[in-house]
Amino acid sequence: MTYQKIVVAGGGTLGSQIAYMSAYSGKDVTIWGRSAGSLDRAKARVARWEVEVQNYFKSSDELKNDTQKNLHYTTDLESALKDADLVIEVLPESVPTKEAFYEEFAKIADQKTIIVTNSSTLLPSVLADFTGRPEKFLGYHFANSIWRGNTAEIMPGKKTDPSLPATFVDFSREIKMVPIMVKKEQPGYILNSMLVPFLNSGSYLWVNEIAEPHDIDKTWMIATGSPMGPFAIMDLVGMNTVYEINHANPSETSQKVAEKIKAMIDAGKIGVESGEGFYNYPNPAYQANDFLKE
Amino acid sequence: MTYQKIVVAGGGTLGSQIAYMSAYSGKDVTIWGRSAGSLDRAKARVARWEVEVQNYFKSSDELKNDTQKNLHYTTDLESALKDADLVIEVLPESVPTKEAFYEEFAKIADQKTIIVTNSSTLLPSVLADFTGRPEKFLGYHFANSIWRGNTAEIMPGKKTDPSLPATFVDFSREIKMVPIMVKKEQPGYILNSMLVPFLNSGSYLWVNEIAEPHDIDKTWMIATGSPMGPFAIMDLVGMNTVYEINHANPSETSQKVAEKIKAMIDAGKIGVESGEGFYNYPNPAYQANDFLKE
């Protein structure tokens, strides 16, 4: 066993999923939130993951009840941190927000307590010194719907103790994640370092009117055997995120993509979530039997 | 019915596959080769596709025999072109080679005869004028193992008659291909416009020592549900092609990739074909049951 007493700082979508899966795997987990309101929202999310996880693993009611017992909520950081082995920070992607939290943590936490960030956009080295213990800090990145997209990318910063990443290989397995070792700092970790250029290459063909989204997806699906092409993935990710990624990229193509995605958002086509994006849901064309045959 | 009497110029891997699938689909097909030796090699390839196609479609011996009857071989271009509806040029990727063939074709062929190129690296506009009938010419690009990777990308050049591409939508279906319309010229068509950046993004993580190939593949497979990640695909494509693509790209990363791939080739690790590449074959680790679980 590696870390047993876990604090998850932040009960948003991923924070609540990480907390739930850790509690489900027998860890003693406390979700810390800034306010009673944020904890209420975290509880509502946990109730959703409870259903999804039970369906996914076909797990027993007993395990569901045990998980509930393992899961605690508090706005009191001092009591949350008492005797904590590990803090997983899943706060909004803002340096000042994380800095404020880490500085509070640094004052209170026991010297043994390890702290990691789930940030997907900020490298560990940007944040490490705020924690007061940069050698006990690294990046630890989850995909969405973590029971299914169960990779946990482990990324040391420049000051991380070289023996620390290996403990997260074990911890990841304990909470049913597949550990993926990122050997040094890389913006976007592994997944986004590949996914973003992939979505860009599909988008290029679309906005430059070389081919239609459905044909682009079909070509990729037939050639690689993948269940989705770039446009189906964009529908899943959601147009707001696709817009942000492109808007932040100064290339001419990305700016054109941002403009076209903005028009889709304005028309209410934000992807799976709104029932329409590049496909119509719940039965998108790319999942039809004949999509790959005609 | 669109085109019935077909000439396939060049009996290499793809030429012989295109010829076989066309004959299999009831077309009257002649493989034209420059020499008796090249036709002998084409016949040997056809014998392999015959087995593969029959296994793939579970087709009858009768159909196999009919296909044989539909398939002819000649070194005599004049007799091959007599009354031909369509010529599919699948010669080596060299402008002078194709130019010489097209000029011979232009002198002999009936005015009705349409001609297309399977070139994956030369745009139709580079070649069109050599044919003497640029309005009756377009790019028509197949994937490998065309009975399985059955896309046929249709790409008009600047002078292509606007009504011509649609006839290839029908023709593609007649020979059991899925037509993919590329609306204007694009180097790499659709598939390679996506596949090359995808393989590059994985290679970047590898040669810059950010992550190991198996971890990179695993991350992609879990996140997207794909049956292969970039390194499994490179093994399938073969290191010689991977080397060529990277060697031709002046970026620092591609040059590093080319160097590492060269070392693999020198060590006999050229991918699936040699039994070893990034994985060992015939039972590569990425196909093992627990690969995505640990």
Side-chain angles (χ1 to χ4, degrees):
Chain A
M1 273 297 189
T2 57
Y3 311 110
Q4 182 57 25
K5 192 169 185 310
I6 316 294
V7 176
V8 176
T13 300
L14 268 174
S16 56
Q17 292 186 6
I18 295 165
Y20 189 79
M21 282 307 296
S22 299
Y24 182 85
S25 307
K27 303 295 181 184
D28 175 350
V29 180
T30 302
I31 295 182
W32 171 82
R34 189 67 70 184
S35 67
S38 70
L39 291 183
D40 284 344
R41 289 189 293 278
K43 284 175 193 167
R45 291 187 186 103
V46 161
R48 283 170 55 199
W49 314 145
E50 189 172 70
V51 176
E52 297 235 25
V53 168
Q54 194 171 21
N55 286 340
Y56 188 76
F57 291 110
K58 315 279 177 225
S59 47
S60 65
D61 283 341
E62 193 189 342
L63 182 50
K64 184 173 85 176
N65 295 337
D66 287 347
T67 303
Q68 287 173 357
K69 284 179 211 147
N70 290 339
L71 205 47
H72 317 285
Y73 300 83
T74 185
T75 57
D76 177 0
L77 189 59
E78 194 159 349
S79 75
L81 289 177
K82 191 163 186 299
D83 210 30
D85 297 314
L86 171 65
V87 174
I88 303 177
E89 174 272 304
V90 200
L91 294 169
E93 292 285 58
S94 135
V95 175
T97 301
K98 291 183 193 284
E99 178 175 359
F101 172 76
Y102 289 154
E103 286 176 352
E104 232 176 311
F105 161 88
K107 278 182 221 150
I108 305 170
D110 195 284
Q111 262 312 311
K112 75 164 184 182
T113 310
I114 306 294
I115 180 161
V116 298
T117 181
N118 179 58
S119 176
S120 49
T121 57
L122 300 167
L123 292 177
S125 293
V126 174
L127 304 168
D129 286 339
F130 303 140
T131 67
R133 59 190 76 187
E135 75 287 358
K136 290 183 177 143
F137 178 71
L138 52 68
Y140 192 46
H141 185 244
F142 293 77
N144 215 332
S145 301
I146 72 168
W147 49 92
R148 196 172 24 237
N150 63 342
T151 51
E153 296 178 280
I154 302 158
M155 184 163 76
K158 295 191 184 72
K159 298 183 182 172
T160 304
D161 184 316
S163 68
L164 191 62
T167 66
F168 281 89
V169 170
D170 295 336
F171 178 74
S172 299
R173 292 188 175 132
E174 288 166 13
I175 62 167
K176 303 186 171 35
M177 298 295 119
V178 176
I180 302 285
M181 191 65 87
V182 185
K183 295 189 283 183
K184 59 187 180 193
E185 289 194 321
Q186 164 66 18
Y189 289 76
I190 295 176
L191 179 56
N192 287 334
S193 295
M194 303 180 70
L195 193 59
V196 171
F198 174 67
L199 299 181
N200 285 349
S201 68
S203 299
Y204 176 94
L205 297 170
W206 171 48
V207 300
N208 290 304
E209 296 180 348
I210 292 158
E212 295 295 332
H214 291 203
D215 279 344
I216 297 168
D217 277 5
K218 187 182 290 188
T219 305
W220 183 258
M221 291 166 74
I222 292 176
T224 67
S226 300
M228 287 187 287
F231 294 93
I233 292 177
M234 286 187 232
D235 274 0
L236 200 62
V237 168
M239 293 309 139
N240 291 314
T241 302
V242 174
Y243 174 78
E244 278 165 31
I245 292 169
N246 282 285
H247 185 62
N249 183 333
S251 85
E252 196 187 329
T253 296
S254 288
Q255 292 302 310
K256 270 199 234 177
V257 177
E259 199 178 302
K260 292 191 79 157
I261 296 289
K262 176 87 171 40
M264 289 176 68
I265 294 171
D266 291 346
K269 300 180 185 178
I270 63 168
V272 178
E273 200 183 327
S274 74
E276 188 175 0
F278 290 102
Y279 296 89
N280 293 307
Y281 297 85
N283 297 306
Y286 75 87
Q287 290 179 344
N289 277 334
D290 50 5
F291 186 70
L292 300 184
K293 292 176 193 156
E294 42 177 48
Chain B
M1 273 297 190
T2 57
Y3 310 110
Q4 183 56 25
K5 190 168 186 315
I6 317 293
V7 175
V8 176
T13 301
L14 269 174
S16 56
Q17 292 185 6
I18 295 165
Y20 189 80
M21 282 306 297
S22 300
Y24 182 85
S25 307
K27 303 296 182 186
D28 175 350
V29 181
T30 302
I31 296 183
W32 171 83
R34 187 70 66 186
S35 66
S38 71
L39 290 184
D40 284 343
R41 290 188 292 278
K43 283 176 194 166
R45 291 187 186 103
V46 160
R48 284 170 56 198
W49 314 145
E50 188 172 69
V51 176
E52 296 237 24
V53 168
Q54 193 171 21
N55 286 340
Y56 189 77
F57 290 110
K58 315 278 175 224
S59 47
S60 65
D61 284 341
E62 192 189 343
L63 182 49
K64 185 174 84 175
N65 296 336
D66 287 347
T67 304
Q68 287 173 357
K69 282 178 211 146
N70 289 338
L71 205 48
H72 317 284
Y73 300 84
T74 185
T75 57
D76 177 1
L77 190 58
E78 193 159 351
S79 76
L81 289 177
K82 191 162 187 298
D83 210 30
D85 296 315
L86 171 65
V87 174
I88 303 178
E89 174 270 304
V90 201
L91 294 168
E93 292 286 56
S94 135
V95 174
T97 302
K98 290 182 194 286
E99 179 176 359
F101 172 77
Y102 288 155
E103 286 176 353
E104 230 177 314
F105 161 89
K107 277 183 221 150
I108 305 171
D110 196 283
Q111 262 313 308
K112 75 165 185 182
T113 310
I114 304 293
I115 179 161
V116 299
T117 180
N118 180 57
S119 176
S120 49
T121 57
L122 301 167
L123 292 177
S125 293
V126 174
L127 304 169
D129 286 340
F130 302 140
T131 66
R133 59 190 77 187
E135 75 287 356
K136 288 182 180 147
F137 178 71
L138 51 69
Y140 191 45
H141 184 245
F142 293 77
N144 215 332
S145 299
I146 72 168
W147 48 94
R148 196 173 22 239
N150 63 343
T151 50
E153 297 177 281
I154 303 157
M155 184 163 77
K158 294 191 184 73
K159 296 184 182 172
T160 305
D161 185 317
S163 69
L164 190 63
T167 67
F168 282 88
V169 170
D170 295 336
F171 177 73
S172 300
R173 292 189 174 130
E174 287 166 13
I175 62 168
K176 303 187 173 34
M177 298 294 118
V178 175
I180 301 285
M181 190 64 87
V182 186
K183 295 189 283 183
K184 59 187 178 193
E185 289 194 320
Q186 164 66 19
Y189 289 76
I190 294 176
L191 180 56
N192 287 335
S193 296
M194 302 179 71
L195 194 59
V196 172
F198 175 67
L199 299 182
N200 285 349
S201 68
S203 300
Y204 176 94
L205 297 170
W206 171 49
V207 300
N208 290 303
E209 295 179 350
I210 292 157
E212 295 296 333
H214 290 203
D215 279 344
I216 297 168
D217 276 5
K218 189 182 290 189
T219 306
W220 183 258
M221 290 166 74
I222 292 176
T224 67
S226 300
M228 287 187 288
F231 294 94
I233 292 176
M234 285 187 234
D235 274 359
L236 199 62
V237 169
M239 293 309 138
N240 291 315
T241 302
V242 174
Y243 174 78
E244 278 164 31
I245 292 168
N246 282 286
H247 186 63
N249 183 333
S251 85
E252 197 188 327
T253 297
S254 288
Q255 291 303 311
K256 272 198 233 177
V257 177
E259 200 178 303
K260 292 190 79 158
I261 295 290
K262 175 90 171 39
M264 289 176 67
I265 294 171
D266 291 345
K269 299 179 185 179
I270 64 168
V272 178
E273 201 183 326
S274 75
E276 189 175 358
F278 291 101
Y279 296 89
N280 293 307
Y281 296 85
N283 297 306
Y286 75 87
Q287 289 178 346
N289 278 333
D290 50 5
F291 186 70
L292 300 184
K293 291 177 192 154
E294 45 178 45

mmCIF file with all atom_site columns, all heavy atoms in Angstrom, chain A residues 248-262:
data_model
loop_
_atom_site.group_PDB
_atom_site.id
_atom_site.type_symbol
_atom_site.label_atom_id
_atom_site.label_alt_id
_atom_site.label_comp_id
_atom_site.label_asym_id
_atom_site.label_entity_id
_atom_site.label_seq_id
_atom_site.pdbx_PDB_ins_code
_atom_site.Cartn_x
_atom_site.Cartn_y
_atom_site.Cartn_z
_atom_site.occupancy
_atom_site.B_iso_or_equiv
_atom_site.pdbx_formal_charge
_atom_site.auth_seq_id
_atom_site.auth_comp_id
_atom_site.auth_asym_id
_atom_site.auth_atom_id
_atom_site.pdbx_PDB_model_num
ATOM 1   N N   . ALA A 1 248 ? -6.629  29.920 -28.682 1.00 0.00 ? 248 ALA A N   1
ATOM 2   C CA  . ALA A 1 248 ? -5.338  30.226 -28.054 1.00 0.00 ? 248 ALA A CA  1
ATOM 3   C C   . ALA A 1 248 ? -4.162  30.013 -29.004 1.00 0.00 ? 248 ALA A C   1
ATOM 4   O O   . ALA A 1 248 ? -3.033  30.369 -28.694 1.00 0.00 ? 248 ALA A O   1
ATOM 5   C CB  . ALA A 1 248 ? -5.156  29.345 -26.817 1.00 0.00 ? 248 ALA A CB  1
ATOM 6   N N   . ASN A 1 249 ? -4.428  29.421 -30.175 1.00 0.00 ? 249 ASN A N   1
ATOM 7   C CA  . ASN A 1 249 ? -3.365  29.117 -31.135 1.00 0.00 ? 249 ASN A CA  1
ATOM 8   C C   . ASN A 1 249 ? -3.381  30.180 -32.241 1.00 0.00 ? 249 ASN A C   1
ATOM 9   O O   . ASN A 1 249 ? -4.378  30.330 -32.944 1.00 0.00 ? 249 ASN A O   1
ATOM 10  C CB  . ASN A 1 249 ? -3.625  27.719 -31.716 1.00 0.00 ? 249 ASN A CB  1
ATOM 11  C CG  . ASN A 1 249 ? -2.544  27.272 -32.675 1.00 0.00 ? 249 ASN A CG  1
ATOM 12  O OD1 . ASN A 1 249 ? -1.873  28.085 -33.314 1.00 0.00 ? 249 ASN A OD1 1
ATOM 13  N ND2 . ASN A 1 249 ? -2.372  25.980 -32.780 1.00 0.00 ? 249 ASN A ND2 1
ATOM 14  N N   . PRO A 1 250 ? -2.279  30.936 -32.388 1.00 0.00 ? 250 PRO A N   1
ATOM 15  C CA  . PRO A 1 250 ? -2.316  32.060 -33.319 1.00 0.00 ? 250 PRO A CA  1
ATOM 16  C C   . PRO A 1 250 ? -2.268  31.673 -34.803 1.00 0.00 ? 250 PRO A C   1
ATOM 17  O O   . PRO A 1 250 ? -2.413  32.536 -35.659 1.00 0.00 ? 250 PRO A O   1
ATOM 18  C CB  . PRO A 1 250 ? -1.063  32.861 -32.946 1.00 0.00 ? 250 PRO A CB  1
ATOM 19  C CG  . PRO A 1 250 ? -0.134  31.868 -32.319 1.00 0.00 ? 250 PRO A CG  1
ATOM 20  C CD  . PRO A 1 250 ? -1.006  30.827 -31.672 1.00 0.00 ? 250 PRO A CD  1
ATOM 21  N N   . SER A 1 251 ? -2.099  30.379 -35.136 1.00 0.00 ? 251 SER A N   1
ATOM 22  C CA  . SER A 1 251 ? -1.983  30.023 -36.556 1.00 0.00 ? 251 SER A CA  1
ATOM 23  C C   . SER A 1 251 ? -3.264  30.382 -37.312 1.00 0.00 ? 251 SER A C   1
ATOM 24  O O   . SER A 1 251 ? -4.356  30.371 -36.745 1.00 0.00 ? 251 SER A O   1
ATOM 25  C CB  . SER A 1 251 ? -1.684  28.534 -36.719 1.00 0.00 ? 251 SER A CB  1
ATOM 26  O OG  . SER A 1 251 ? -2.885  27.789 -36.700 1.00 0.00 ? 251 SER A OG  1
ATOM 27  N N   . GLU A 1 252 ? -3.092  30.651 -38.600 1.00 0.00 ? 252 GLU A N   1
ATOM 28  C CA  . GLU A 1 252 ? -4.225  31.074 -39.426 1.00 0.00 ? 252 GLU A CA  1
ATOM 29  C C   . GLU A 1 252 ? -5.327  30.013 -39.433 1.00 0.00 ? 252 GLU A C   1
ATOM 30  O O   . GLU A 1 252 ? -6.509  30.317 -39.293 1.00 0.00 ? 252 GLU A O   1
ATOM 31  C CB  . GLU A 1 252 ? -3.713  31.304 -40.860 1.00 0.00 ? 252 GLU A CB  1
ATOM 32  C CG  . GLU A 1 252 ? -4.668  32.111 -41.728 1.00 0.00 ? 252 GLU A CG  1
ATOM 33  C CD  . GLU A 1 252 ? -4.184  32.152 -43.187 1.00 0.00 ? 252 GLU A CD  1
ATOM 34  O OE1 . GLU A 1 252 ? -2.944  32.111 -43.407 1.00 0.00 ? 252 GLU A OE1 1
ATOM 35  O OE2 . GLU A 1 252 ? -5.038  32.213 -44.083 1.00 0.00 ? 252 GLU A OE2 1
ATOM 36  N N   . THR A 1 253 ? -4.907  28.752 -39.563 1.00 0.00 ? 253 THR A N   1
ATOM 37  C CA  . THR A 1 253 ? -5.896  27.677 -39.589 1.00 0.00 ? 253 THR A CA  1
ATOM 38  C C   . THR A 1 253 ? -6.662  27.607 -38.269 1.00 0.00 ? 253 THR A C   1
ATOM 39  O O   . THR A 1 253 ? -7.895  27.514 -38.267 1.00 0.00 ? 253 THR A O   1
ATOM 40  C CB  . THR A 1 253 ? -5.210  26.321 -39.880 1.00 0.00 ? 253 THR A CB  1
ATOM 41  O OG1 . THR A 1 253 ? -4.642  26.380 -41.186 1.00 0.00 ? 253 THR A OG1 1
ATOM 42  C CG2 . THR A 1 253 ? -6.216  25.182 -39.826 1.00 0.00 ? 253 THR A CG2 1
ATOM 43  N N   . SER A 1 254 ? -5.946  27.679 -37.146 1.00 0.00 ? 254 SER A N   1
ATOM 44  C CA  . SER A 1 254 ? -6.635  27.592 -35.859 1.00 0.00 ? 254 SER A CA  1
ATOM 45  C C   . SER A 1 254 ? -7.605  28.756 -35.673 1.00 0.00 ? 254 SER A C   1
ATOM 46  O O   . SER A 1 254 ? -8.684  28.583 -35.093 1.00 0.00 ? 254 SER A O   1
ATOM 47  C CB  . SER A 1 254 ? -5.623  27.568 -34.713 1.00 0.00 ? 254 SER A CB  1
ATOM 48  O OG  . SER A 1 254 ? -4.958  26.328 -34.699 1.00 0.00 ? 254 SER A OG  1
ATOM 49  N N   . GLN A 1 255 ? -7.237  29.924 -36.163 1.00 0.00 ? 255 GLN A N   1
ATOM 50  C CA  . GLN A 1 255 ? -8.151  31.061 -36.056 1.00 0.00 ? 255 GLN A CA  1
ATOM 51  C C   . GLN A 1 255 ? -9.409  30.827 -36.896 1.00 0.00 ? 255 GLN A C   1
ATOM 52  O O   . GLN A 1 255 ? -10.514 31.144 -36.462 1.00 0.00 ? 255 GLN A O   1
ATOM 53  C CB  . GLN A 1 255 ? -7.438  32.367 -36.452 1.00 0.00 ? 255 GLN A CB  1
ATOM 54  C CG  . GLN A 1 255 ? -6.355  32.787 -35.445 1.00 0.00 ? 255 GLN A CG  1
ATOM 55  C CD  . GLN A 1 255 ? -6.916  32.977 -34.025 1.00 0.00 ? 255 GLN A CD  1
ATOM 56  O OE1 . GLN A 1 255 ? -7.906  33.649 -33.810 1.00 0.00 ? 255 GLN A OE1 1
ATOM 57  N NE2 . GLN A 1 255 ? -6.281  32.324 -33.041 1.00 0.00 ? 255 GLN A NE2 1
ATOM 58  N N   . LYS A 1 256 ? -9.221  30.241 -38.089 1.00 0.00 ? 256 LYS A N   1
ATOM 59  C CA  . LYS A 1 256 ? -10.389 29.900 -38.923 1.00 0.00 ? 256 LYS A CA  1
ATOM 60  C C   . LYS A 1 256 ? -11.260 28.857 -38.217 1.00 0.00 ? 256 LYS A C   1
ATOM 61  O O   . LYS A 1 256 ? -12.492 28.924 -38.255 1.00 0.00 ? 256 LYS A O   1
ATOM 62  C CB  . LYS A 1 256 ? -9.918  29.273 -40.258 1.00 0.00 ? 256 LYS A CB  1
ATOM 63  C CG  . LYS A 1 256 ? -9.677  30.258 -41.372 1.00 0.00 ? 256 LYS A CG  1
ATOM 64  C CD  . LYS A 1 256 ? -9.693  29.492 -42.707 1.00 0.00 ? 256 LYS A CD  1
ATOM 65  C CE  . LYS A 1 256 ? -8.436  29.737 -43.506 1.00 0.00 ? 256 LYS A CE  1
ATOM 66  N NZ  . LYS A 1 256 ? -8.369  28.973 -44.765 1.00 0.00 ? 256 LYS A NZ  1
ATOM 67  N N   . VAL A 1 257 ? -10.601 27.876 -37.594 1.00 0.00 ? 257 VAL A N   1
ATOM 68  C CA  . VAL A 1 257 ? -11.348 26.834 -36.885 1.00 0.00 ? 257 VAL A CA  1
ATOM 69  C C   . VAL A 1 257 ? -12.132 27.465 -35.738 1.00 0.00 ? 257 VAL A C   1
ATOM 70  O O   . VAL A 1 257 ? -13.330 27.204 -35.573 1.00 0.00 ? 257 VAL A O   1
ATOM 71  C CB  . VAL A 1 257 ? -10.401 25.730 -36.338 1.00 0.00 ? 257 VAL A CB  1
ATOM 72  C CG1 . VAL A 1 257 ? -11.194 24.705 -35.534 1.00 0.00 ? 257 VAL A CG1 1
ATOM 73  C CG2 . VAL A 1 257 ? -9.648  25.052 -37.471 1.00 0.00 ? 257 VAL A CG2 1
ATOM 74  N N   . ALA A 1 258 ? -11.464 28.322 -34.979 1.00 0.00 ? 258 ALA A N   1
ATOM 75  C CA  . ALA A 1 258 ? -12.128 28.970 -33.840 1.00 0.00 ? 258 ALA A CA  1
ATOM 76  C C   . ALA A 1 258 ? -13.387 29.693 -34.301 1.00 0.00 ? 258 ALA A C   1
ATOM 77  O O   . ALA A 1 258 ? -14.445 29.601 -33.662 1.00 0.00 ? 258 ALA A O   1
ATOM 78  C CB  . ALA A 1 258 ? -11.165 29.932 -33.146 1.00 0.00 ? 258 ALA A CB  1
ATOM 79  N N   . GLU A 1 259 ? -13.276 30.373 -35.436 1.00 0.00 ? 259 GLU A N   1
ATOM 80  C CA  . GLU A 1 259 ? -14.417 31.130 -35.956 1.00 0.00 ? 259 GLU A CA  1
ATOM 81  C C   . GLU A 1 259 ? -15.588 30.207 -36.321 1.00 0.00 ? 259 GLU A C   1
ATOM 82  O O   . GLU A 1 259 ? -16.749 30.479 -35.984 1.00 0.00 ? 259 GLU A O   1
ATOM 83  C CB  . GLU A 1 259 ? -13.934 31.883 -37.212 1.00 0.00 ? 259 GLU A CB  1
ATOM 84  C CG  . GLU A 1 259 ? -14.785 33.050 -37.635 1.00 0.00 ? 259 GLU A CG  1
ATOM 85  C CD  . GLU A 1 259 ? -14.145 33.714 -38.870 1.00 0.00 ? 259 GLU A CD  1
ATOM 86  O OE1 . GLU A 1 259 ? -12.962 34.144 -38.763 1.00 0.00 ? 259 GLU A OE1 1
ATOM 87  O OE2 . GLU A 1 259 ? -14.812 33.768 -39.914 1.00 0.00 ? 259 GLU A OE2 1
ATOM 88  N N   . LYS A 1 260 ? -15.271 29.093 -36.979 1.00 0.00 ? 260 LYS A N   1
ATOM 89  C CA  . LYS A 1 260 ? -16.330 28.165 -37.370 1.00 0.00 ? 260 LYS A CA  1
ATOM 90  C C   . LYS A 1 260 ? -16.929 27.452 -36.144 1.00 0.00 ? 260 LYS A C   1
ATOM 91  O O   . LYS A 1 260 ? -18.128 27.169 -36.108 1.00 0.00 ? 260 LYS A O   1
ATOM 92  C CB  . LYS A 1 260 ? -15.804 27.141 -38.394 1.00 0.00 ? 260 LYS A CB  1
ATOM 93  C CG  . LYS A 1 260 ? -15.468 27.798 -39.739 1.00 0.00 ? 260 LYS A CG  1
ATOM 94  C CD  . LYS A 1 260 ? -15.210 26.790 -40.843 1.00 0.00 ? 260 LYS A CD  1
ATOM 95  C CE  . LYS A 1 260 ? -16.494 26.215 -41.420 1.00 0.00 ? 260 LYS A CE  1
ATOM 96  N NZ  . LYS A 1 260 ? -16.323 25.679 -42.800 1.00 0.00 ? 260 LYS A NZ  1
ATOM 97  N N   . ILE A 1 261 ? -16.079 27.155 -35.169 1.00 0.00 ? 261 ILE A N   1
ATOM 98  C CA  . ILE A 1 261 ? -16.582 26.499 -33.952 1.00 0.00 ? 261 ILE A CA  1
ATOM 99  C C   . ILE A 1 261 ? -17.469 27.477 -33.169 1.00 0.00 ? 261 ILE A C   1
ATOM 100 O O   . ILE A 1 261 ? -18.510 27.103 -32.629 1.00 0.00 ? 261 ILE A O   1
ATOM 101 C CB  . ILE A 1 261 ? -15.409 26.003 -33.076 1.00 0.00 ? 261 ILE A CB  1
ATOM 102 C CG1 . ILE A 1 261 ? -14.598 24.924 -33.803 1.00 0.00 ? 261 ILE A CG1 1
ATOM 103 C CG2 . ILE A 1 261 ? -15.915 25.497 -31.722 1.00 0.00 ? 261 ILE A CG2 1
ATOM 104 C CD1 . ILE A 1 261 ? -15.274 23.586 -33.958 1.00 0.00 ? 261 ILE A CD1 1
ATOM 105 N N   . LYS A 1 262 ? -17.054 28.734 -33.151 1.00 0.00 ? 262 LYS A N   1
ATOM 106 C CA  . LYS A 1 262 ? -17.848 29.771 -32.475 1.00 0.00 ? 262 LYS A CA  1
ATOM 107 C C   . LYS A 1 262 ? -19.249 29.825 -33.077 1.00 0.00 ? 262 LYS A C   1
ATOM 108 O O   . LYS A 1 262 ? -20.247 29.914 -32.345 1.00 0.00 ? 262 LYS A O   1
ATOM 109 C CB  . LYS A 1 262 ? -17.132 31.116 -32.632 1.00 0.00 ? 262 LYS A CB  1
ATOM 110 C CG  . LYS A 1 262 ? -17.847 32.323 -32.066 1.00 0.00 ? 262 LYS A CG  1
ATOM 111 C CD  . LYS A 1 262 ? -17.511 32.527 -30.598 1.00 0.00 ? 262 LYS A CD  1
ATOM 112 C CE  . LYS A 1 262 ? -18.021 33.850 -30.047 1.00 0.00 ? 262 LYS A CE  1
ATOM 113 N NZ  . LYS A 1 262 ? -19.365 34.265 -30.492 1.00 0.00 ? 262 LYS A NZ  1
#
